[in-house]
Amino acid sequence: MKATLCIDDAVGEYRRALLDSDGKPFRLEIERWNERGHRAKLDEIRWGRAKARTPGNRGWFVDLGAGPDGILETRAVVVAGTLLGVRVKSEAWSDKGPVLSMADMAASVVRPDKPVLHSEPAEDPFVIGLEIVETASGADARERIDAAIEEATQRILVLPGGGDIALDQTRGLTVVDVDSGARIGEADPETFALNLNTAAAAEAARQISLRGIGGLLAIDFVGMQQPRNRRSVVDTFRKTLAGYLRRASEVLDMSTLGVCEAAIARRARPLAASLSTPRAEREALDALRMLETAGWNARGSRLHARLSVEASSWLEANASVWNDPLAGRIGARWTIESEQRPPGQPKVWSV
């Protein structure tokens, strides 16, 4: 699959997005600077210390030296306190630690005396299996990534030709509801439902990939009478999802009630977890990005930012991290003001 890679290495936060051949985003990655080295990332090989058995004796809790304890899925004999070579199969999310598997370590490898990163992934998991035909950065990439994040946080998405899908996530299940809305189509109800459901299946697959959704999924399609049409819609969903994720998922056939169930393996951290930053920090990071963008657009002008007191305090406390990098990019020509209000959207302007 061919894709465009957009990179936005803003001060305080690194973001990437992948766009398909139609220019639509299908994958996002966000990492704050203060997270680097403090969480276990997909496909890393790490040394971790076995701490205790998991409930049901199905594996071990493992101290990785970064972020929450991982869960090692193994029935092998392990002694508590032992340093183990493990691979990160899926990243931590919500209150769940990363899932691990045993790594194949050569006998000659020197074991460290504490949990530590052993090696980075041999291939970048974000782009593995894709043909990157273009790499974009700068203002254009930043704008595309902003738009992708905005799209990925919408509950309802309009389909081409009319109708929409709504995505609702709970702790144990993601539900996608297909609605015809004001869609105008064929007079034949079966053909109308087939075309609507086919468009919904493709869009649902892209949104699942874009948002990093995993676990159990149920899609409530508009009912169809013909078994061949139900199979066609599920086939579209299955193939489109595999194309975006670059791996197969367990997708069941559609029921006579129009419901399709699927189980999607979790790999990278879900987008919702990446965006769950404390509000003051989120406002501060947005302000830094907006200052940098304003600096690109208004060269030589004085820049001003107005933030909540909490966000301004966050910037002051972390000035050693962001001040010099921002000055190196646009020059030290900004003034930051604070105002009494809840953290939210910063205001940035140039004069």
Side-chain angles (χ1 to χ4, degrees):
M1 179 178 178
K2 296 181 179 180
T4 296
L5 173 63
C6 296
I7 300 174
D8 178 27
D9 189 10
V11 172
E13 193 169 51
Y14 181 77
R15 309 184 301 174
R16 295 194 292 178
L18 287 167
L19 313 181
D20 63 18
S21 57
D22 294 323
K24 295 181 178 180
F26 67 91
R27 197 173 300 169
L28 278 165
E29 178 186 66
I30 301 173
E31 184 176 53
R32 302 187 301 278
W33 283 10
N34 58 13
E35 292 182 295
R36 292 175 176 173
H38 297 289
R39 69 184 187 95
K41 299 178 68 174
L42 184 63
D43 286 343
E44 286 180 341
I45 304 297
R46 307 188 70 95
W47 290 101
R49 192 178 302 281
K51 292 179 63 176
R53 278 282 194 181
T54 59
N57 290 330
R58 295 184 176 183
W60 283 80
F61 291 112
V62 177
D63 175 12
L64 298 172
D69 291 344
I71 299 174
L72 174 62
E73 300 173 326
T74 182
R75 293 189 179 277
V77 176
V78 175
V79 178
T82 303
L83 274 174
L84 306 169
V86 296
R87 182 178 70 87
V88 180
K89 289 177 57 180
S90 69
E91 297 180 356
W93 64 282
S94 185
D95 59 347
K96 311 292 185 182
V99 178
L100 314 170
S101 63
M102 295 292 291
D104 185 14
M105 294 290 202
S108 59
V109 173
V110 178
R111 292 174 179 263
D113 58 1
K114 62 181 180 180
V116 68
L117 174 67
H118 176 74
S119 63
E120 302 282 354
E123 295 183 77
D124 184 353
F126 189 70
V127 299
I128 195 168
L130 298 169
E131 180 185 350
I132 303 302
V133 296
E134 179 186 354
T135 299
S137 59
D140 179 56
R142 180 165 296 180
E143 184 176 334
R144 291 184 181 186
I145 292 174
D146 285 342
I149 293 173
E150 176 66 22
E151 176 186 323
T153 55
Q154 299 300 310
R155 175 176 175 265
I156 298 177
L157 298 111
V158 177
L159 299 172
D164 60 59
I165 61 172
L167 291 90
D168 292 293
Q169 290 184 262
T170 66
R171 180 174 178 177
L173 178 70
T174 298
V175 177
V176 181
D177 180 61
V178 182
D179 191 279
S180 60
R183 185 183 182 96
I184 299 175
E186 297 75 12
D188 174 37
E190 186 75 5
T191 303
F192 176 86
L194 173 61
N195 291 338
L196 170 63
N197 287 336
T198 300
E203 182 63 17
R206 186 173 69 87
Q207 291 298 325
I208 289 164
S209 175
L210 179 64
R211 300 166 191 234
I213 292 173
L216 296 178
L217 173 79
I219 307 179
D220 184 10
F221 289 105
V222 173
M224 296 179 293
Q225 298 299 316
Q226 297 295 328
R228 67 174 181 274
N229 291 338
R230 295 197 292 268
R231 288 194 297 269
S232 175
V233 169
V234 171
D235 190 50
T236 295
F237 176 68
R238 189 179 285 124
K239 289 181 178 179
T240 307
L241 184 64
Y244 284 133
L245 297 181
R246 310 312 299 163
R247 64 181 187 275
S249 299
E250 185 178 358
V251 180
L252 303 184
D253 292 336
M254 189 187 304
S255 72
T256 56
L257 297 177
V259 177
C260 174
E261 298 173 281
I264 302 170
R266 298 187 189 276
R267 294 273 287 160
R269 178 172 62 174
L271 180 64
S274 300
L275 295 174
S276 61
T277 312
R279 293 184 64 193
E281 182 179 353
R282 178 74 271 150
E283 182 184 0
L285 292 173
D286 288 345
L288 292 177
R289 183 179 296 106
M290 293 167 70
L291 280 169
E292 186 176 359
T293 301
W296 293 344
N297 297 331
R299 300 183 184 279
S301 299
R302 188 73 188 175
L303 308 176
H304 294 263
R306 183 175 296 135
L307 296 81
S308 66
V309 172
E310 292 178 56
S312 181
S313 297
W314 188 94
L315 285 176
E316 183 177 352
N318 293 275
S320 61
V321 176
W322 63 266
N323 191 84
D324 288 347
L326 185 60
R329 297 185 185 193
I330 63 172
R333 52 190 174 99
W334 63 82
T335 299
I336 295 177
E337 307 169 3
S338 61
E339 58 183 356
Q340 286 290 348
R341 61 169 175 80
Q345 183 66 22
K347 299 176 183 177
V348 174
W349 69 96
S350 60
V351 293

